[in-house]
Amino acid sequence: MKMIVIPRYKDLFDGPIPNLDDLLQGIPSELILELLSLIQAKVYLGRSDIDQMEVLNLFLSRQPAQIQTKIIRGIFVAENPEKHRWAPLFEMNYILDFMHYILVNFREGPSDFLDTNADQELYLLQAYVIFIENRNNYDNKLFEREETTAEDFFYKKTWPMLSGQFGANIRSNPFTSMIRGVCLLNFLLYDSEYKELTASFLLERGHPGPWSYIMSLSNIIMQSWGNEEPATRKTTKFSISADSEFKQMFDSFALDPALYRNQYKETHQNYEGIKARPLYRTINGDYIILNWNFLSNKLHDSLIFDLHKHFGPRVESFKKLPDFKNYISSKVTEPVLFRRLISTVLKNRKYDVLIFDESQKQGAPDAYFRRCNDIFLFELKDAFFSAAAVHQTYEAIKIEIDKKYNRPNKGIGQLIAHLNRMRVSSFEEPKRYKHNRNLVIYPIMIYTDHFFGMPGVINYLQKAFSEKITEGDLKKEFKIIKPLIFIDLKFLINIIDLCNNSNIQIKELFELFYNEQKRANRKEQRTQTVEDYFSCYDSFETVITNRFSKELYKSKGFVQKLFNSLDLTHGLPQSD
């Protein structure tokens, strides 16, 4: 993570700043949405300087040379005139915000409008730059109004802005979403009491079963990922043909601008409307993809919301989303995904002890694992990050984190309770280790919403956990209590291959992370640079991915092994 500088209007254009609506007058909103969809596809699927230049050329290719030169030089200077790197003028969160603006101010164009001219293309670029400058001014106000100390400077100065960018700019992994989606739909269709409801949900979208739904969507997403290298891709995919065999499903994903404007004219509510319907159906019937990330989320996260809309009116106990989410957590996330992933990642040996909280009673960890004198205490918290806290003040974000992970009866409080119990008794029956003073404790909390993976969240929770350890005078009870590990459930899927096809154990990944935190802090104290300062707040996932990027998903038979571990073969055609 690093700080970047986005060019302002005066860096790129001469004269006073024009009115935004005047610039867009006469240009059909549908055409602007198509252009923004193409831009977000190039940025999302590429993320390189080449892609930024390709996008810029969409606006500049028909402009006079002097205008092109001024704009390109302005972008260079905004980043760093010595390094000659592109400032990322086109970022996913800016594109989404501008898309939201176009949707709530949607206007039809002339029926005979075919394409933009050179002037209109320049107007569109000017409108975009003005819009993101206004957006940055709002972010700067959030940045400036927080009073800070040395301890909370990072959180107060970055979380308000990061929370508004994180969901849009972080590229989701469709493979892990696919796995979670299959687990969810397989349970609901084959093992739950709501089989008929699940079947009707799938049939309304044109699918006979979970695998048909998941694979039809996955194939579109995976095809786009396969074309992401600039040297190999031919065209950037940003639309789906009107004659697609999955038209029924895509219709359910298509956004109506009039309904959108009525519901979201005051605020986009963390892009809720585009997340719910990430496609737009054009006049000719094709579907343009408003956001690839949000389409990918239809494999799991957004799928939960769609299922709730179907189940809620028909099941009394599911009328509220949190109740439906709790049902999924208790029936799928913990007993299916979490337990099977933990069992696979830990590679249980002969004398290891692995205990799950089968009764889900208060006071037992979700998973307890001991190898020799190393004890791992796992707490899973399957909770959404509230949209009401996104792009808000530090205090609002802190309250949301504490509410989900730092309360006496939840998250950190539960881990402290486990340690207090171990003072006087053991989770093992019978107890198979001798003395607490020989034990090394690894406390681990598992989260499921990627917003909790924002930079600094793990540091904040580590500090809170350490303070509770000191308050409870727990250090003297054990040989070592390690710093808290905070890890995304989806990342356990990512490291299955790493932990099962090498000599690397999950303990070594934790130790590598602790060492990297220490190294980053020492380096920042020495260099005092902004980039090194931000590196001190990297998440566990960022550190491990940077270290082992070449080793993830690489072994032969990885997918088959994962399917077998999670028992995902329900509904698949059986070979003879």
Side-chain angles (χ1 to χ4, degrees), residues 146-163:
E146 298 282 5
E147 295 183 4
T148 66
T149 66
E151 287 189 349
D152 61 20
F153 178 86
F154 180 87
Y155 315 125
K156 287 188 173 182
K157 291 299 187 183
T158 66
W159 281 355
M161 290 183 289
L162 281 176
S163 65

Side-chain angles (χ1 to χ4, degrees), residues 421-438:
R421 173 176 165 176
M422 289 178 64
R423 277 174 153 169
V424 295
S425 64
S426 173
F427 289 109
E428 299 179 33
E429 297 179 3
K431 178 180 175 181
R432 295 183 178 88
Y433 56 87
K434 288 186 178 181
H435 305 292
N436 283 354
R437 64 175 180 268
N438 297 329

Side-chain angles (χ1 to χ4, degrees), residues 350-389:
K350 184 176 180 180
Y351 295 107
D352 292 345
V353 178
L354 177 59
I355 303 170
F356 292 112
D357 180 19
E358 298 293 347
S359 64
Q360 297 185 356
K361 61 187 178 182
Q362 189 71 22
D366 290 324
Y368 168 99
F369 178 69
R370 182 175 62 80
R371 176 168 289 165
C372 300
N373 285 323
D374 295 330
I375 289 182
F376 302 78
L377 300 174
F378 293 89
E379 277 297 331
L380 168 69
K381 290 290 160 279
D382 186 15
F384 285 131
F385 191 99
S386 172

Side-chain angles (χ1 to χ4, degrees), residues 168-224:
N169 288 340
I170 299 301
R171 182 172 170 174
S172 65
N173 185 336
F175 181 72
T176 56
S177 296
M178 180 187 79
I179 297 300
R180 297 184 72 193
V182 170
C183 285
L184 172 59
L185 290 175
N186 272 352
F187 169 78
L188 290 174
L189 184 63
Y190 300 114
D191 300 314
S192 79
E193 58 190 292
Y194 306 107
K195 298 174 184 178
E196 291 183 4
L197 267 180
T198 307
S200 66
F201 171 85
L202 290 168
L203 286 174
E204 284 179 9
R205 287 151 181 79
H207 296 287
W211 276 106
S212 174
Y213 173 89
I214 294 294
M215 292 311 299
S216 63
L217 197 49
S218 297
N219 286 338
I220 292 171
I221 295 165
M222 294 299 185
Q223 286 170 17
S224 69

